[in-house]
Amino acid sequence: MTWEVVVGLEVHAELSTRSKIFCGCTTAFGGEPNSQVCPVCSGMPGSLPRLNSAVVEYAARLGIALNCEIANECVFDRKNYFYPDLPKAYQISQLYAPICSGGFLEIEVGEASKKIGIREIHMEEDAGKLIHNSQSGETFMDFNRCGVPLLEIVSLPDIRSGAEAAAYLERLREILLYLDICDCKMQEGSLRADVNLSVRRCGSSEFGVRTEMKNLNSIKAVSRAIEHESVRQIALLDRGGTVTQQTRRWDDTKGESYAMRSKENAQDYRYFPEPDLPNSALGESWLARILENMPELAHEKRERYAGEFGISAYEAKVLTGDRNIAGLFEELASLCGNPKEAARLISGELMRLMNASSILPEELNIDASKLAKLVVLVTEGKISRDAYKETIEAVFTQNVDPGAYIAQKGLLMQSDDDAVMESVLAAINDNPEAVADYFLGKEKALTFLMGKVMKKLGKSANPIAVKKSMEDRLQCIGGKK
Ligand code: ADP
Ligand code: MG
Ligand code: ZN
């Protein structure tokens, strides 16, 4: 009997607003413990939260990108629970009326594309961090993260494999980065995923009992956890057992999950409307302004690059892998007027140079106008491909002025002068057999003769000019014969 894996993901994205969701404290990562707190985010009695409007705006941007309906007011609820990382003993969240609902995210798996439903996106505050010292057995509390704004993105149980989950998370990550609302550093916890998983017999229309694995902090870990948990559940059911609804902890280094607690329900949290925050209306003009300022997203760029410029799917993927690279490409393409060559330069030579020097795409800082000049020179046949690559590297590593560099190194090609003619004649004189082969129609003979000339003239030889001169000469000889 075959089984189908059913997965729904809950993703927490920490927003990159400068200040926290309900107070003015900074959200900067890595500060001295408890140095970024105030009475509001540390839960002092009598302090009152005030909603940071940037958080609402970020939520709406993501909602639009994920094809959601945007609510016309902000309504918060109080989720009560005690845990040492939560000094207020409640979290302000949205249960009944999330800001965004009913959207979808389109993923590509193999050749096909698939829409994964988004049930909702809601706003909430993050909790602090507990730091356990395993040697002393002590636990330290750092409240700097309390009140950092989070968006929780909840999918429908539409995901059917680890590969689909990975594609979903990658696309979501790309969208968050292009919207510039989350730095998506999974290793720093700014993007974390909870995996809800159940299995059912193929063809069945009812869902099985699910387990939830919390706070996975890499896309690889999510795939591995799905693989492992589905095998565990299937084995259990095949043996005639049942799956218990529970929260499990995934240990990525061991590659195993452990039962933590039986799964809690909404009732367990005694949710009620947050009394300290008034509902705030979101006007139509507010939403219209956000819509107007939506940036072009990576997958939209890929489609446009392919349609408008005819560049390959592979190149489009490389170019949009990072917002900075896409920006460079667009600037270069418009400056040099040759998008295909611009795409080739960035996805080829520039990527190679970045890899070799371990520069990340988001760190790349290179003058597009210098590269544009080189593209024009090479496409007009003024410099050779080799000289082109050499100068790109010099611009990349030393930020040289390409014109000065080319002049200094003598890389500008000779095209019409005596040197070319002289070498062509010499090659023809010295290689009568190749000339004979040429007249017998052997294509390779021409390449061979040109090679002789190129070798003699070096980098400054213009292959287009050499070829023309060679063919002219040979034509003359042929005419005489
Ligand atoms: P909770 O309130 O416990 O978080 P939800 O109903 O809000 O539960 O669902 C949380 C996530 O679990 C959603 O992403 C949803 O798609 C997923 N999910 C719900 N039921 C199942 C199931 N039977 N199998 C797999 N995933 C599920
Ligand atoms: Mg949940
Ligand atoms: Zn604060």
Side-chain angles (χ1 to χ4, degrees):
M1 186 65 76
T2 43
W3 296 90
E4 182 179 45
V5 178
V6 174
V7 173
L9 293 175
E10 292 164 283
V11 176
H12 284 95
E14 252 177 20
L15 299 185
S16 49
T17 52
R18 257 175 302 158
S19 56
K20 294 185 179 179
I21 183 167
F22 300 123
C23 64
C25 293
T26 174
T27 58
F29 180 81
E32 182 73 13
N34 301 310
S35 65
Q36 300 164 2
V37 288
C38 74
V40 173
C41 58
S42 62
M44 295 296 159
S47 65
L48 285 174
R50 276 189 64 201
L51 179 59
N52 177 349
S53 62
V55 174
V56 188
E57 190 167 326
Y58 282 20
R61 297 177 81 176
L62 182 61
I64 292 165
L66 297 185
N67 313 290
C68 293
E69 185 104 19
I70 315 295
N72 45 28
E73 62 176 350
C74 285
V75 184
F76 286 93
D77 301 294
R78 190 178 283 197
K79 179 179 182 180
N80 299 279
Y81 66 96
F82 171 77
Y83 202 66
D85 63 7
L86 189 73
K88 291 205 300 273
Y90 61 84
Q91 179 193 32
I92 302 179
S93 180
Q94 296 190 293
L95 178 71
Y96 301 109
I99 174 139
C100 313
S101 53
F104 66 87
L105 182 150
E106 198 156 350
I107 59 169
E108 269 136 52
V109 266
E111 293 293 286
S113 71
K114 175 175 174 180
K115 282 179 184 168
I116 306 293
I118 302 291
R119 196 183 70 195
E120 64 175 72
I121 302 171
H122 61 255
M123 301 178 280
E124 59 186 28
E125 57 181 333
D126 210 345
K129 237 186 248 175
L130 298 181
I131 301 148
H132 304 286
N133 183 330
S134 54
Q135 267 157 3
S136 67
E138 288 167 306
T139 294
F140 298 90
M141 296 181 293
D142 178 4
F143 292 154
N144 284 352
R145 204 177 62 181
C146 288
V148 168
L150 291 178
L151 292 182
E152 180 171 340
I153 304 116
V154 185
S155 87
L156 290 175
D158 289 347
I159 297 165
R160 293 289 173 271
S161 65
E164 285 188 14
Y168 173 90
L169 290 170
E170 258 147 33
R171 177 60 68 89
L172 180 59
R173 187 172 172 274
E174 194 175 70
I175 290 172
L176 290 164
L177 286 170
Y178 268 73
L179 292 175
D180 203 13
I181 62 176
C182 170
D183 69 17
C184 295
K185 290 183 180 158
M186 291 191 87
Q187 69 285 1
E188 288 181 7
S190 39
L191 196 65
R192 348 190 253 270
D194 300 346
V195 176
N196 294 270
L197 187 151
S198 62
V199 298
R200 63 178 173 188
R201 296 195 188 276
C202 281
S204 156
S205 60
E206 261 162 58
F207 289 129
V209 176
R210 74 185 143 123
T211 61
E212 178 170 12
M213 292 176 284
K214 285 206 175 280
N215 286 330
L216 282 86
N217 63 359
S218 79
I219 294 179
K220 271 217 178 91
V222 169
S223 307
R224 277 199 291 261
I226 288 174
E227 173 64 31
H228 187 274
E229 179 61 9
S230 54
V231 167
R232 190 189 71 84
Q233 289 188 12
I234 290 167
L236 199 61
L237 295 169
D238 272 339
R239 269 189 269 119
T242 49
V243 174
T244 324
Q245 181 161 337
Q246 61 191 185
T247 302
R248 299 178 68 85
R249 191 172 70 87
W250 171 252
D251 184 330
D252 200 45
T253 37
K254 290 203 179 129
E256 281 172 26
S257 67
Y258 307 92
M260 272 166 68
R261 56 176 187 261
S262 65
K263 197 171 160 19
E264 61 288 324
N265 288 315
Q267 297 94 299
D268 298 328
Y269 291 110
R270 295 281 182 268
Y271 275 100
F272 58 81
E274 172 55 52
D276 288 344
L277 278 169
N279 295 350
S280 43
L282 303 168
E284 256 167 53
S285 60
W286 172 83
L287 190 60
R289 187 178 54 78
I290 293 175
L291 266 169
E292 221 165 83
N293 291 312
M294 283 293 283
E296 189 181 24
L297 299 171
H299 58 276
E300 294 165 346
K301 283 189 189 294
R302 282 194 287 275
E303 248 166 60
R304 180 165 67 84
Y305 293 175
E308 207 171 291
F309 307 141
I311 68 176
S312 74
Y314 167 76
E315 282 177 342
K317 181 93 192 137
V318 174
L319 294 173
T320 56
D322 177 82
R323 203 156 42 104
N324 186 30
I325 300 292
L328 175 68
F329 164 68
E330 287 172 20
E331 192 185 353
L332 178 56
S334 93
L335 284 173
C336 73
N338 188 338
K340 275 198 171 157
E341 192 58 43
R344 184 169 160 195
L345 187 167
I346 294 174
S347 63
E349 206 48 24
L350 216 50
M351 283 294 157
R352 192 186 64 72
L353 290 167
M354 282 164 54
N355 284 338
S357 52
S358 304
I359 289 181
L360 296 173
E362 62 263 34
E363 297 165 348
L364 179 70
N365 183 13
I366 194 163
D367 189 338
S369 65
K370 289 183 177 177
L371 296 177
K373 193 165 183 180
L374 290 170
V375 171
V376 170
L377 288 174
V378 79
T379 48
E380 285 182 351
K382 302 247 168 68
I383 55 174
S384 70
R385 280 273 157 195
D386 284 343
Y388 175 61
K389 284 189 182 169
E390 179 184 331
T391 318
I392 291 169
E393 182 159 357
V395 171
F396 178 84
T397 53
Q398 301 150 57
N399 193 24
V400 298
D401 174 72
Y405 183 87
I406 287 166
Q408 186 205 338
K409 297 268 174 168
L411 296 177
L412 219 47
M413 290 199 285
Q414 305 156 348
S415 39
D416 52 2
D417 55 23
D418 298 343
V420 173
M421 179 62 89
E422 215 173 275
S423 309
V424 164
L425 286 174
I428 288 174
N429 268 331
D430 297 349
N431 300 283
E433 276 170 29
V435 175
D437 281 350
Y438 173 79
F439 288 115
L440 289 174
K442 292 188 185 167
E443 279 294 315
K444 277 195 183 139
L446 181 62
T447 318
F448 172 81
L449 289 167
M450 278 186 59
K452 293 282 169 201
V453 179
M454 299 299 290
K455 196 167 172 195
K456 195 159 181 188
L457 295 175
K459 274 185 192 158
S460 61
N462 180 343
I464 300 165
V466 170
K467 185 164 185 223
K468 178 154 194 328
S469 172
M470 179 68 79
E471 281 173 342
D472 286 353
R473 280 320 301 162
L474 288 167
Q475 206 116 70
C476 284
I477 299 171
K480 271 189 212 149
K481 269 195 176 169

